[in-house]
Amino acid sequence: MPSVSHCVVTPEEAGQKLFQYLSRRLGKDVPKSLLMRLVRTGQVRVDGRRAKPFDRLRVGQTVRIPPVRLDEPEKPNDETQACDERLFLPILYQSNGVLAINKPAGLPVQPGTGWTDCVAARLAVMFPEAPFQPTPAHRLDRDTSGVLLAGTSYEGLRRLQEMFRFGGIGKDYLAVAKGRVDAPAHLVDALGKAGPVGRERVVVGAGKRAEAELMPLRPGKNFSLVLVRLLTGRTHQIRVQLASRGHPLLGDMKYGGGGGPLHLHAWRITLPEVTVSVLPDWEGDMAVSEDDLTPF
């Protein structure tokens, strides 16, 4: 029979609203309506007193959490655990509430229809005892690889999200574009969505401003390696801006780049305190080396 828990708010958890704290502690399977009822009926208390769902918690406060019936998760056997470890994501940087991992192509950031394996789920397996579950602070398309940032504390997550929203983070991508790209360009477009629900495409026209800098690295007759520095962060921005100029990305079937793996990689993210980068694992003529990136 579950018992009452008395949990001390850690520095990583501080700053969250009580409702968020309970949701993270008890899991997403617990209905929001139940969490609200537990708080409003006084079954959840903070430092022995009744609290409101949206009160913010401070370091060192004690939260009384009543027993909540949850199905016990099946304990993984050794074989399952070994499989989980093989799925761990490479860590590029971890400090001061920030975690950077190398996301492989083909892995979505969040679960969705038909997808349960994702970055968020793998982080939960990698950090089962973390006081604050590492949470992705932004998204990369499922088929885009490279640097992805997560917050390992509530304050770290909030800071990253604010920088992505209002500026303060440098984002450099590598891509293989069809055709010859041999001149730098400043790309400015208005991007919006069109098409039926579930099959939307991003198109150039009315919509939000999308801005980027395009720099050729290795021009070729049929394909060119390029660096794109994002100045905004719109859905499918690089894919659409290059495709609209006659240079769809290799492997981008949605926007005219043909089949095969998508050649789009988040190479480098620059924060005020650190720059994190990782080369793509492309092979053959598409392989990228540090020499290609020396000027940058």
Side-chain angles (χ1 to χ4, degrees), residues 183-199:
H186 183 72
L187 312 180
V188 180
D189 296 288
L191 301 184
K193 290 184 179 181
V197 176
R199 290 185 293 171

Side-chain angles (χ1 to χ4, degrees), residues 199-218:
R199 290 185 293 171
E200 300 98 333
R201 291 167 55 90
V202 177
V203 297
V204 174
K208 295 182 178 180
R209 178 184 175 87
E211 188 173 1
E213 298 287 352
L214 173 66
M215 292 159 272
L217 297 178
R218 225 167 49 211

Side-chain angles (χ1 to χ4, degrees), residues 103-217:
K103 186 189 91 65
L107 183 71
V109 175
Q110 299 288 352
T113 304
W115 293 91
T116 55
D117 184 20
C118 61
V119 170
R122 293 195 188 188
L123 289 176
V125 174
M126 292 170 64
F127 299 91
E129 304 299 328
F132 181 90
Q133 180 63 58
T135 303
H138 61 121
R139 295 198 179 206
L140 295 177
D141 289 345
R142 185 181 70 200
D143 293 323
T144 301
S145 57
V147 183
L148 181 79
L149 301 183
T152 60
S153 68
Y154 177 72
E155 286 300 326
L157 176 62
R158 189 170 65 174
R159 183 173 72 93
L160 288 174
Q161 290 173 333
E162 288 179 351
M163 284 194 290
F164 274 111
R165 187 176 298 116
F166 301 114
I169 291 182
K171 299 165 287 186
D172 294 323
Y173 286 70
L174 299 173
V176 177
K178 284 193 168 185
R180 185 172 183 84
V181 181
D182 55 10
H186 183 72
L187 312 180
V188 180
D189 296 288
L191 301 184
K193 290 184 179 181
V197 176
R199 290 185 293 171
E200 300 98 333
R201 291 167 55 90
V202 177
V203 297
V204 174
K208 295 182 178 180
R209 178 184 175 87
E211 188 173 1
E213 298 287 352
L214 173 66
M215 292 159 272
L217 297 178

